[in-house]
Amino acid sequence: MNILLWHVHGSWTTAFVQGPHTYLVPVTPDRGPDGLGRARTFSWPDSVREVTPAELAHAPVDLVVLQRPHEMELAERWLGRRPGRDLPAVYLEHNAPDGDVPRTRHPCADRDDLTLVHVTHFNRLFWDNGATRTEVVEHGIVDPGHLYTGAVPRAAVVTNEPIRRGRHTGTDLLPDLARAAPLDVFGMRTQGLAEHLGLPAERCRAYELPQRELHAAMAQRRLYLHPVRWTSLGLSLLEAMHLGMPVVALASTEAVEAVLPGTGVLSTRPEVLARAVTRYLNEPQAAAEDGARARQAALERYGLKRFLADWERVMTEVRS
């Protein structure tokens, strides 16, 4: 198939484009949000092709994967065809609902011309989808390998824009957790985080690394810390598990399904998380053993083969 999708979520798209299709990714001269084109920091196969809006008017497209509300109008204008009416379409919802939860109505609620695909069962449960046909295709990860060493006695945190996103990403919990272990925070716009939180620089270091360097850096840290209150299931959490890292996470949203007993510690009590962080810091053998179990659990549930097979099923049904 020729599948049209916008480059919105680099990590998710990296897994999706490993399938057997041709993936048409819009590109505009400014490479803005609606025309970002191919990824610069992720490894994508040659089957991902950049197409301009003018080229899309004549492009053979078999399926459209929509990911943002305005893409419906954008696709119709650029293609000259309406997704869902003139060609098959799915709407992929990456995010947990935000606003008047649990009464948050999805923008695609009560649509009979497309399928709404959620990335977690939690998201499908909490969005008000109306009568729209829904599916859940859980995340899949391109396996980075069992890279864990845990040689650096610090906790890795991966989060984008922690200052702006605040309580959503659990940024306010970091000062207390930083007393249990020094933190290395990886992600976009993390600079200035220690000063923002009133922490000494050594207790909260910030890094913005390309994907090819991130996994190796994470795997050197003793554990992965996931203090997120309210977001979809972070791919960085699943990547950490694939790397063989033990996980300490808030028991919120879909994390309770991903982090199994023996692979880390889940709790809604920050003090319990702090104790778990300290234990892993002081017991590297226990950290390595739990990390190995975390990797096995992640491979079984969030492996790439299962992810691609689930998407093949959904896309085949949508086109039938």
Side-chain angles (χ1 to χ4, degrees):
M1 288 187 289
N2 290 326
I3 300 173
L4 171 64
L5 76 159
W6 277 262
H7 176 184
V8 174
H9 191 306
S11 293
W12 180 89
T13 308
T14 297
F16 184 70
V17 298
Q18 304 304 314
H21 307 291
T22 298
Y23 305 90
L24 306 178
V25 178
V27 63
T28 54
D30 64 349
R31 290 191 178 268
D34 291 333
L36 197 55
R38 285 178 57 94
R40 305 284 182 86
T41 60
F42 296 87
S43 179
W44 287 2
D46 293 340
S47 56
V48 182
R49 291 176 40 210
E50 293 185 343
V51 289
T52 66
E55 290 170 334
L56 278 173
H58 308 287
V61 175
D62 300 304
L63 177 75
V64 180
V65 178
L66 305 163
Q67 301 171 79
R68 298 167 297 176
H70 74 278
E71 288 179 1
M72 178 67 76
E73 183 276 331
L74 201 59
E76 184 173 8
R77 176 154 46 92
W78 289 359
L79 290 167
R81 290 158 282 175
R82 182 171 178 79
R85 183 186 66 196
D86 302 320
L87 73 169
V90 300
Y91 189 101
L92 172 63
E93 180 53 69
H94 291 284
N95 300 317
D98 195 11
D100 189 18
V101 179
R103 292 180 291 273
T104 315
R105 190 162 177 79
H106 197 276
C108 291
D110 291 329
R111 294 283 296 266
D112 61 4
D113 57 346
L114 53 76
T115 296
L116 176 55
V117 181
H118 292 283
V119 297
T120 71
H121 292 277
F122 179 93
N123 288 4
R124 178 163 70 171
L125 178 67
F126 273 77
W127 276 107
D128 175 3
N129 305 299
T132 304
R133 179 197 173 199
T134 61
E135 293 277 355
V136 176
V137 178
E138 295 188 306
H139 287 305
I141 301 293
V142 178
D143 183 14
H146 193 168
L147 305 182
Y148 179 73
T149 68
V152 178
R154 301 176 68 90
V157 180
V158 179
T159 181
N160 291 326
E161 301 187 77
I163 295 175
R164 179 185 67 82
R165 296 169 71 193
R167 287 177 59 84
H168 275 75
T169 53
T171 305
D172 59 301
L173 303 176
L174 294 180
D176 285 341
L177 292 168
R179 296 187 182 95
L183 310 178
D184 285 341
V185 183
F186 300 91
M188 294 186 295
R189 289 179 281 281
T190 54
Q191 297 301 320
L193 180 60
E195 182 180 5
H196 174 76
L197 296 174
L199 290 170
E202 175 60 21
R203 301 303 291 184
C204 184
R205 302 190 304 210
Y207 300 86
E208 188 167 345
L209 300 178
Q211 184 76 3
R212 61 182 176 272
E213 299 176 19
L214 175 62
H215 290 153
M218 289 170 61
Q220 293 173 4
R221 275 62 185 178
R222 185 67 48 82
L223 68 132
Y224 182 77
L225 176 62
H226 190 70
V228 177
R229 271 196 187 86
W230 190 260
T231 187
S232 194
L233 181 61
L235 281 167
S236 58
L237 170 66
L238 303 180
E239 290 168 351
M241 295 174 70
H242 273 76
L243 291 167
M245 302 184 74
V247 172
V248 176
L250 272 183
S252 61
T253 65
E254 190 79 359
V256 298
E257 292 282 338
V259 182
L260 303 179
T263 67
V265 175
L266 282 170
S267 180
T268 56
R269 298 166 58 189
E271 62 272 19
V272 172
L273 303 186
R275 288 198 294 269
V277 166
T278 299
R279 174 175 174 262
Y280 283 137
L281 210 64
N282 295 331
E283 299 181 24
Q285 184 62 34
E289 291 172 356
D290 284 5
R293 284 188 287 267
R295 172 172 167 78
Q296 188 59 41
L299 286 171
E300 291 175 2
R301 182 160 184 172
Y302 301 103
L304 187 63
K305 182 177 180 180
R306 189 275 310 154
F307 171 77
L308 293 175
D310 284 356
W311 268 106
E312 286 299 309
R313 175 185 58 79
V314 170
M315 292 188 294
T316 299
E317 290 175 358
V318 167
R319 295 186 68 227
S320 63

